[in-house]
Each structure stands twice: as structure tokens, then as C-alpha cells.
């Protein structure tokens, strides 16, 4: 397997094999100071063909999310760097020629080396696919003559949305030679990263994993990129793969109707100028996201507020907040990024937080990728791939059992769901207390009274609590009673002056595909079928809605690891297999058998109800529906979902 570069050939053809370099020893030594030493040691195995790099005492101590050095001591790292320099110099002097690639067994050993523990054999194929060590895109679609050109030509697919998932759908459909249109209401690609431009908006999955697996990732300037860089990334990828030619921006899908007679969809569009239009489609892929439609709370007097007010995902950049009194309502993942970013620029910042949030430490959260690490990603063979593995593995959901409620654990105080969860509460609470020093008033406000991980976890390098400590910042945990012309009044009668209000109040997570009107077979309306309980087989296909596929659909949001881009790659691989099944066998439509869908939904409910996110102590959570049940999150280990979405089982479907 593994390398398209034959021994003795130059570094060509494999985008992950590293670009040849001629830097002098001093420059290389300087770069090595910036790298992840564990990933470097794996790269050296490729570069020298010698597995002893990962068989010495210089090895990772533990695999922990966002610790790129895996607990190695400074001495061990220094020695590894010293050893690496002559090997890299020799590689350079030899013309950057790679030896034969490592065997699959050795690659597995490298995974276990970075994981600091044996990686179970059954999950190796998933990581192997994600690593793309052979330089090919394993998910690339290569349909053959089994699908006649006229069948492809008649197979127009409409993709709704051009965020990361819609863009991926475009890439795969183009590879398959299927005519398609991506309809996007925004003026450009990026989805959530197009919408969310608030100060401080950045991703909180490591950027080297929060990107397409098949694309090199040596360009990121921060370990956790900000919205501008993410937008630029999606724009670049869109153009590179020629998806832009198929995109209709500033166009909104308002409805989609399935026609029983023709077996095709009519997709209703509203253009930017208000005109309407209907597209005919053989299949529809919804890639509209799940955290997309702002949730604006109903607060008494909101309309009486005299100053500007806006939702965090609709940040009004024409409003100059500097020197003003800013009221921030909501402090989940968005508000918690906004507060520390604007704190020094506003006169006062009042943060109204209904529920305290768990935050865990991440020293790399605001860190630039140093030049040396970027050099290594660009030049050291497969270093970037192993860095990706390092980012993926600890968050691969292999520890999902930690999220399960222990029925024998006394959770009557609502503070923890099992012993480990209780221990984690202690660690995270102490970390917060340590940052707050003498501010006991804040300690009482910021430590949540529900189990760790039960709501969306936040991570930070200390910016959030440092922001709250500032003299012009106040954290208010008392409920809002009403909004008045010049501020906000809480239920204890306190008035907080405000010139501007930002509603960082989240999204309508449970209202999948809203506000589109989707009508399926025999006039079934999707919203009626779902009510408050949206379900889809594997989160992708829905009975009564033939040839409709959801990306990031019900039950697929991730709270236990992975990345939504990885999740989309799984789902798109499944969707393409479903389309192949349709076209290759001359079927008109497919939809999941009701019994298959129902059995999956039952299994889903029984599983999710045992997990921390469903815990009774969590009263406010966008994961829960109005009845307190969960239809949003995936309870499945990530490798399991990966294997379920590898291929469609025709027995699960009704074909016409
Ligand atoms: P969120 O996590 O749902 O937080 C909304 C905030 O508004 C919470 O503090 C919530 O309080 C409060 N709120 C909602 N309705 C309210 C009401 N009626 N009265 C008072 N307070 C109210 O929303 P978000 O911060 O926009 O994040 C949503 C999701 O987007 C995240 O879970 C995450 O998946 C994603 N996101 C990711 C990133 C990132 O990757 N860095 C950044 C931003 C968002 P309660 O907690 O009491 O409900």
C-alpha cells in the first residue's frame, strides 16, 4: 500500500509525501523546535524506512486531546530532535527520495505508538482510510460503464446548501459525472462559517482534522482557525474541484415536492430578486446544517429596545461596539467566544448566562501554527497525516462509554453520571477555581450544577474566565425579566444599561430542514411526519421521502468526538453508494423500509436515553426537544457509524 512514490523516485504524485527541500541544517533544527515530536518520529519511519524510530524509549506517554507532544518530557523531545536532524539532512542530501513505504502492520504499529496504547485492530481500517497515506482519495467516486451516459445525464441532483457538507456533495457528484446544482441562500460557500462572523468566531475541533481528509492541511495558520480562514478554505476547495460552476448563490430553497407519477422532485427556489423558479431533480441532498436557523428568545419588551440588536450568527458589522455598553444574552459556544474578544473594547460588557457551561483546558486554542510546524507539514513526508491522526484519535469517540449513565451510580444530586464523570468534574472545577483566584463570587457562578459533557463542551486557554474577571465585565446568572428601551431588567429588579444587545442564543437544532416545506410520497409533509421527533435511517434517509438524503440529519450531531466534516464524508460515501445502486440497476427511487427505519430509531432511542446528554439534571439544552428527549445527537461510536455508512445494504430499501 501506502505510497505512490516508488523507491528511488522523486516526491511526486502524493500530496502528503512532502515537497522536496534544500533548507540548511540550522533552518531544519530551528523548525524541529516547533514540531510535534511524536508525529515527527512517525514521519522519520517513512523518511528512512527504519521502524526503530518508534521502537525506542523516546515515545508518547499518553494520548490526550490537543496535546501534540503526548506528554513527552522536554529531555525526551530534545533527544528525539537531535537524533532526527542528521536523518532529515541525509534525506535532503539524497534528493528527498523515499524508501519503500511501510507495511500495513507497521502503520498499525505507528498508530499504537501515537495512541500510547494498542489501537484495536477493528478500528484500524477507519484510520487507515482517513490517513490517505497512498495519496489517493479513498472516497473519490469512480463509477464505470455500469452506469450508461444517458442515465447519468438524466440524473440531475439538487444539493441544498453549500457549507462543508454541500461542497463535499458537489465534489463527489462531479467525480461521478452526475449533473447537479448546489443551491445556497448565502452569497458564498462555507455555511456556518459564512454566517458566523462574530468577533472571536473560531472552530473548536483542531483545524488539521476539521478539513477534508483528502486535502493537504499544511496551510492553517492557527491550530483552531478563525472564521475568515475557514471561509477562504471552503472557497478555495470549491474552486479547485470545479464545484463553483454548479453553484447558485443568493438563492433559497423554499419547498421540495416529490411527484409520485414521475418519481422526481420539484425543488422550489426563491432568487435574490424575489423571483421564483422550479428545478427538476432525480434526487435531493439536504446539506442545510443543523445549527443554522437562529433561535431568538421571546423576551418581554425586546421590541422596545432603542439601540441595535442582532443574533450572533447575524452580527451587524456596521455597528461600532467600541466604547459602548454591550449586553450579551447567552453564553454557549458562541457567546463564550464573543465575550473575551470584545471585553477590552467595550465600555461595559454584561453577559447574561442562563446555565453555566463546562469548559476544559486547551493551551493551543488561540495559538498560531509556528513556522517550523508549517514547514514540517509541507516538507516532512506524511508528518501532516500523522499530525491529523494525533488530532483525530483522542477525539475518535472510542471512549464513548464514559458518557453512559451508570445505573448503579447515585446521581440524585444531579452532579455526575458515573465515577469517572465525577472525577472529571473535580479536575475541570479545580481548573476553573485556579483561574479565578480570589473571585469567589465568580466561582459560584461558573461551576455548572449538571454533569460534565451533558451540554456542548467548551474549551479554552483561559480567555473566558480572564475576560469575566475584568472590571468592566459582569456575569449575570439571574433570569431576564424584560428588556427596556435602554437596557435589561432581571427578575430581582436590577437594571443593566445597554446600548447594544447581542443574542448569542443558539439555533433551532431540533427543527431539521426548517423552514423548507418538504412533501414526499402521496403528499406526506415532512414536518407533520416528524413533529418534535425527527428521525432518519442512519440520519440520512426517511420513509415516504424517496431519493431524499440528509447530511447532518437527525441523530448525527457529535458531542463525543469526531468532526462534522469527517461525519459528512461518511454520509456522502453512503449517499453516493445509494445513487450508484439506483442508477446501476435502473431503479427510479429508493426509500428505507419502514421496519428498518423504525428498528433503527428504537435502537437509537434506547441508546441515547442512557447517555449523559439525556440526563434529567439538564433542563436547558439545544440537544433536547421540547419533551426533553433527544433526536439530535449520535450515540454511536464513530468507527461504528463509519462502518455502517461504508455501503448501502439493498435489503434495507424499497426500490421502484
Ligand atoms: P447554545 O450553545 O445553544 O447557547 C445559547 C445560549 O443562549 C445559552 O447560554 C442559552 O442558555 C442561552 N439562551 C437560549 N435561549 C435563551 C433564553 N430564552 N433566555 C436566556 N438565555 C437563553 O448556542 P451557541 O452558543 O450559538 O452554540 C450552538 C452550537 O453551535 C454549539 O453547540 C456548537 O455546536 C456550535 N458552535 C460551535 C462553535 C465552535 O466550533 N467553536 C462556536 C459557536 C457555535 P441555556 O444554556 O440555559 O440554554
Amino acid at each position: 500500500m501506502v505510497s505512490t512514490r516508488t523507491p528511488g523516485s522523486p516526491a511526486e504524485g502524493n500530496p502528503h509525501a512532502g515537497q522536496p527541500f534544500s533548507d540548511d541544517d540550522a533552518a531544519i533544527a530551528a523548525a524541529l523546535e516547533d514540531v510535534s515530536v511524536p508525529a515527527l518520529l512517525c514521519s522519520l519511519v517513512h523518511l528512512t524506512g527504519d521502524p526503530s524510530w518508534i521502537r525506542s524509549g523516546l515515545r508518547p506517554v499518553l494520548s490526550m486531546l490537543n496535546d501534540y507532544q503526548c506528554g513527552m518530557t522536554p529531555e525526551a523531545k530534545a533527544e528525539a530532535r537531535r537524533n532526527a536532524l542528521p536523518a532529515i539532512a541525509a534525506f535532503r542530501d539524497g534528493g528527498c527520495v523515499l524508501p519503500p513505504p511501510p507495511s500495513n502492520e507497521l502503520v498499525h504499529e505507528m498508530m499504537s505508538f501515537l495512541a500510547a496504547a494498542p489501537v484495536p485492530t477493528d478500528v484500524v481500517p477507519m484510520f487507515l482510510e482517513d490517513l490517505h497515506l497512498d495519496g489517493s482519495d479513498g472516497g473519490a467516486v469512480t463509477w464505470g460503464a455500469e452506469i450508461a451516459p444517458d442515465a447519468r445525464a438524466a440524473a440531475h441532483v439538487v444539493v441544498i446548501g453549500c457549507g462543508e457538507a454541500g461542497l463535499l456533495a458537489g465534489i463527489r457528484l462531479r467525480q461521478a459525472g452526475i449533473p447537479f446544482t448546489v443551491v445556497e441562500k448565502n452569497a458564498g460557500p462555507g455555511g456556518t462559517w459564512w454566517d458566523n462572523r462574530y468577533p472571536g468566531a473560531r472552530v473548536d475541533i483542531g483545524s488539521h482534522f476539521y478539513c477534508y481528509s483528502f486535502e493537504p492541511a499544511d496551510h492553517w495558520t492557527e491550530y483552531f482557525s478563525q472564521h475568515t480562514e475557514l471561509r477562504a478554505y471552503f472557497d478555495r476547495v470549491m474552486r479547485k474541484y470545479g464545484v463553483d460552476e454548479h453553484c447558485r448563490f443568493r438563492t433559497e430553497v423554499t419547498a421540495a415536492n416529490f411527484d409520485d407519477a414521475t418519481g422526481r422532485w420539484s425543488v422550489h427556489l426563491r432568487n435574490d430578486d424575489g423571483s421564483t423558479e422550479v428545478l427538476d431533480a432525480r434526487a435531493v441532498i439536504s446539506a442545510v446544517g443543523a445549527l443554522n436557523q437562529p433561535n431568538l428568545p421571546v423576551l418581554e419588551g425586546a421590541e422596545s429596545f432603542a439601540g441595535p440588536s442582532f443574533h450572533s450568527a447575524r452580527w451587524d458589522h456596521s455597528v461600532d461596539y467600541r466604547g459602548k455598553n454591550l449586553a450579551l444574552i447567552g453564553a454557549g459556544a458562541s457567546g463564550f467566544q464573543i465575550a473575551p474578544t470584545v471585553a477590552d473594547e467595550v465600555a461595559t460588557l454584561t453577559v447574561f448566562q442562563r446555565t453555566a457551561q463546562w469548559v476544559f483546558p486547551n493551551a493551543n486554542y488561540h495559538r498560531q501554527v509556528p513556522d517550523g510546524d508549517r514547514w514540517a507539514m509541507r516538507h516532512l513526508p506524511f508528518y501532516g497525516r500523522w499530525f491529523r491522526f494525533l488530532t483525530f484519535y483522542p477525539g475518535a469517540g472510542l471512549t464513548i462509554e464514559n458518557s453512559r449513565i451508570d445505573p448503579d451510580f447515585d446521581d440524585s444530586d444531579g452532579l455526575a453520571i458515573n465515577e469517572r464523570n465525577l472525577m472529571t468534574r473535580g479536575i475541570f472545577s479545580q481548573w476553573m477555581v485556579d483561574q479565578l483566584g480570589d473571585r469567589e463570587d465568580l466561582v459560584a457562578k461558573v461551576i455548572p450544577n449538571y454533569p460534565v459533557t451533558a451540554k456542548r463542551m467548551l474549551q479554552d486557554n483561559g480567555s473566558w474566565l480572564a475576560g469575566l474577571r475584568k472590571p468592566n465585565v459582569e456575569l449575570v446568572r439571574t433570569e431576564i425579566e424584560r428588556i427596556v428601551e435602554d437596557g435589561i431588567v432581571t427578575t430581582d429588579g436590577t437594571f443593566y444599561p445597554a446600548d447594544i444587545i447581542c443574542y448569542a442564543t443558539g439555533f433551532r437544532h431540533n427543527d431539521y430542514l426548517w423552514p423548507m416545506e418538504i412533501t414526499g410520497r402521496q403528499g406526506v409533509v415532512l414536518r407533520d411526519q416528524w413533529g418534535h421527533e425527527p428521525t432518519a435511517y442512519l440520519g440520512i434517509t426517511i420513509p415516504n421521502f424517496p431519493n431524499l438524503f440528509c447530511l447532518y440529519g437527525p441523530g448525527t450531531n457529535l458531542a463525543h468526538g469526531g468532526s462534522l466534516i469527517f461525519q459528512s464524508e461518511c454520509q456522502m460515501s453512503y449517499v453516493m453508494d445509494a445513487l450508484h445502486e439506483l442508477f446501476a440497476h435502473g431503479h427510479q427511487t429508493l426509500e428505507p423500509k419502514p421496519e428498518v427505519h423504525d428498528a433503527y430509531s428504537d435502537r437509537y432511542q434506547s441508546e441515547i436515553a442512557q447517555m449523559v446528554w439525556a440526563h434529567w439534571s439538564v433542563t436547558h439544552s439545544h440537544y433536547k426537544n421540547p419533551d426533553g428527549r433527544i433526536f439530535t445527537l449520535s450515540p454511536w461510536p464513530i468507527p461504528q457509524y463509519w462502518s455502517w455508512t461504508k455501503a448501502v445494504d439493498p435489503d434495507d430499501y424499497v426500490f421502484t
Side-chain angles (χ1 to χ4, degrees):
M1 60 159 281
V2 181
S3 178
T4 53
R5 265 203 299 194
T6 49
S9 75
E12 278 170 3
N14 186 330
H16 312 302
Q19 296 168 14
F21 55 93
S22 55
D23 304 70
D24 64 23
D25 286 12
I28 297 170
L32 293 184
E33 290 304 313
D34 292 338
V35 302
S36 153
V37 170
L40 169 70
L41 291 167
C42 285
S43 172
L44 285 162
V45 174
H46 292 274
L47 183 149
T48 61
D50 179 0
S52 66
W53 292 100
I54 57 161
R55 292 176 182 165
S56 82
L58 301 176
R59 52 192 312 115
V61 180
L62 83 171
S63 160
M64 218 169 69
L65 198 58
N66 306 321
D67 175 5
Y68 309 142
Q69 304 299 349
C70 305
M72 286 180 76
T73 63
E75 297 72 30
K77 286 186 290 184
E79 191 181 338
R81 288 178 170 122
R82 272 195 305 277
N83 297 344
L85 182 58
I88 296 170
F91 177 69
R92 173 202 60 203
D93 296 342
C96 298
V97 175
L98 279 175
S103 66
N104 277 359
E105 291 69 33
L106 182 52
V107 169
H108 184 179
E109 188 182 337
M110 291 154 91
M111 290 180 191
S112 297
F113 170 79
L114 286 185
V119 170
T121 311
D122 59 333
V123 302
V124 168
M126 178 186 81
F127 290 113
L128 210 48
E129 182 182 283
D130 188 70
L131 278 167
H132 296 289
L133 291 177
D134 63 359
S136 69
D137 169 8
V141 179
T142 48
W143 292 357
E146 73 279 12
I147 301 175
D150 57 338
R152 292 185 201 220
H156 183 233
V157 174
V158 169
V159 179
I160 312 175
C162 194
E164 56 84 12
L167 185 49
L168 177 69
I171 292 171
R172 296 309 187 212
L173 290 165
R174 194 165 188 273
Q175 286 166 341
I178 297 286
F180 67 97
T181 308
V182 182
V183 183
E184 166 59 61
K185 67 178 166 35
N186 290 330
T192 204
W193 303 110
W194 181 273
D195 285 336
N196 286 279
R197 297 162 182 244
Y198 58 76
R202 72 171 72 233
V203 65
D204 59 11
I205 303 291
S207 290
H208 299 87
F209 178 47
Y210 187 83
C211 52
Y212 299 110
S213 66
F214 48 88
E215 273 286 295
D218 58 356
H219 49 84
W220 298 115
T221 63
E222 292 183 276
Y223 288 110
F224 293 82
S225 302
Q226 300 192 51
H227 60 102
T228 354
E229 191 165 3
L230 284 157
R231 251 190 328 278
Y233 172 73
F234 291 114
D235 192 78
R236 205 167 54 241
V237 172
M238 175 181 73
R239 290 174 204 288
K240 174 174 171 180
Y241 288 87
V243 176
D244 51 328
E245 293 155 21
H246 301 258
C247 288
R248 289 188 54 168
F249 293 111
R250 295 193 181 88
T251 307
E252 187 170 358
V253 172
T254 53
N257 304 326
F258 181 74
D259 183 334
D260 293 282
T262 61
R264 298 182 75 94
W265 284 89
S266 301
V267 182
H268 295 252
L269 312 185
R270 181 168 50 222
N271 296 312
D272 202 27
D273 60 5
S275 62
T276 59
E277 199 178 328
V278 179
L279 292 184
D280 165 73
R282 177 82 189 276
V284 175
I285 299 176
S286 164
V288 296
L291 297 161
N292 174 268
Q293 296 291 337
N295 165 50
L296 277 170
V298 180
L299 292 170
E300 186 191 326
E303 69 295 336
S304 68
F305 184 67
S309 63
F310 42 80
H311 187 270
S312 53
R314 304 285 182 269
W315 189 274
D316 186 344
H317 288 274
S318 71
V319 175
D320 186 0
Y321 57 81
R322 286 168 301 177
K324 306 275 175 38
N325 298 313
L326 177 66
L328 183 63
I329 301 181
S334 302
F336 135 101
Q337 291 183 326
I338 294 169
T341 311
V342 302
D344 285 335
E345 296 174 313
V346 294
T348 65
L349 171 65
T350 315
V351 182
F352 296 85
Q353 190 186 43
R354 185 167 61 181
T355 311
Q357 285 278 123
W358 282 110
V359 186
F360 69 92
N362 175 2
N364 293 311
Y365 196 44
H366 289 177
R367 215 178 129 212
Q368 297 274 321
V369 182
D371 288 347
D373 209 12
R374 294 187 67 189
W375 180 88
M377 304 238 182
R378 190 154 298 143
H379 295 295
L380 294 184
F382 306 102
Y383 171 86
R385 303 318 292 174
W386 289 108
F387 191 89
R388 179 178 169 98
F389 178 84
L390 207 58
T391 323
F392 182 10
Y393 183 80
L398 304 183
T399 53
I400 191 170
E401 283 308 306
N402 297 340
S403 302
R404 195 178 294 277
I405 300 167
D406 177 353
D408 298 324
F409 182 82
D410 178 6
D411 66 348
S412 52
D413 58 7
L415 298 181
I417 51 142
N418 57 38
E419 284 298 339
R420 177 182 269 272
N421 189 254
L422 183 64
M423 188 186 76
T424 312
R425 158 177 279 275
I427 296 168
F428 289 179
S429 302
Q430 193 56 50
W431 179 66
M432 291 195 200
V433 170
D434 290 347
Q435 291 175 74
L436 290 171
D438 56 353
R439 291 292 304 272
E440 283 183 15
D441 59 317
L442 277 178
V443 172
K445 288 180 181 174
V446 301
I447 311 270
N449 62 354
Y450 57 87
V452 173
T453 70
K455 280 166 71 91
R456 170 63 148 72
M457 287 300 291
L458 308 178
Q459 53 190 299
D460 193 25
N461 52 358
S463 70
W464 161 245
L465 294 181
L468 294 185
R469 286 174 60 112
K470 294 189 185 221
N472 64 331
V473 178
E474 181 165 2
L475 176 66
V476 177
R477 293 287 319 282
T478 313
E479 207 181 318
I480 295 171
E481 186 187 271
R482 63 184 191 282
I483 295 182
V484 292
E485 190 183 2
D486 53 353
I488 295 177
V489 180
T490 47
T491 49
D492 58 1
T494 312
F495 167 74
Y496 296 90
D499 304 315
I500 304 166
I501 297 178
C502 171
Y503 292 94
T505 43
F507 302 90
R508 302 171 61 132
H509 195 174
N510 281 272
D511 294 335
Y512 286 91
L513 276 58
W514 184 84
M516 296 182 297
E517 281 288 326
I518 311 286
T519 309
R521 215 157 35 74
Q522 296 176 339
V524 178
V525 175
L526 184 58
R527 201 136 312 282
D528 296 343
Q529 176 164 313
W530 274 349
H532 287 314
E533 301 182 354
T535 55
Y537 179 50
L538 298 172
I540 302 174
T541 52
I542 312 164
N544 292 323
F545 295 83
N547 296 2
L548 172 67
F549 303 95
C550 296
L551 305 179
Y552 198 0
T556 63
N557 196 2
L558 295 168
H560 63 286
S563 96
L564 285 173
I565 298 185
F566 179 82
Q567 190 86 331
S568 296
E569 288 191 18
C570 292
Q571 291 160 358
M572 255 329 278
S573 139
Y574 187 84
V575 172
M576 291 312 293
D577 200 50
L579 291 177
H580 186 270
E581 197 64 31
L582 269 188
F583 303 146
H585 297 98
H587 302 303
Q588 182 66 31
T589 64
L590 62 72
E591 64 180 294
K593 290 177 179 165
E595 63 273 23
V596 169
H597 165 272
D598 294 353
Y600 174 82
S601 298
D602 290 348
R603 210 151 25 108
Y604 171 90
Q605 272 308 320
S606 102
E607 196 67 13
I608 199 83
Q610 298 176 47
M611 307 308 269
V612 65
W613 314 295
H615 197 248
W616 60 266
S617 61
V618 181
T619 42
H620 295 293
S621 165
H622 65 82
Y623 293 155
K624 291 184 172 177
N625 78 353
D627 306 324
R629 297 174 71 206
I630 298 187
F631 293 85
T632 51
L633 292 177
S634 168
W636 314 121
I638 284 158
Q640 185 162 58
Y641 190 70
W642 173 82
S643 71
W644 285 345
T645 50
K646 285 304 291 170
V648 166
D649 179 350
D651 284 346
D652 290 344
Y653 284 88
V654 180
F655 294 91
T656 64

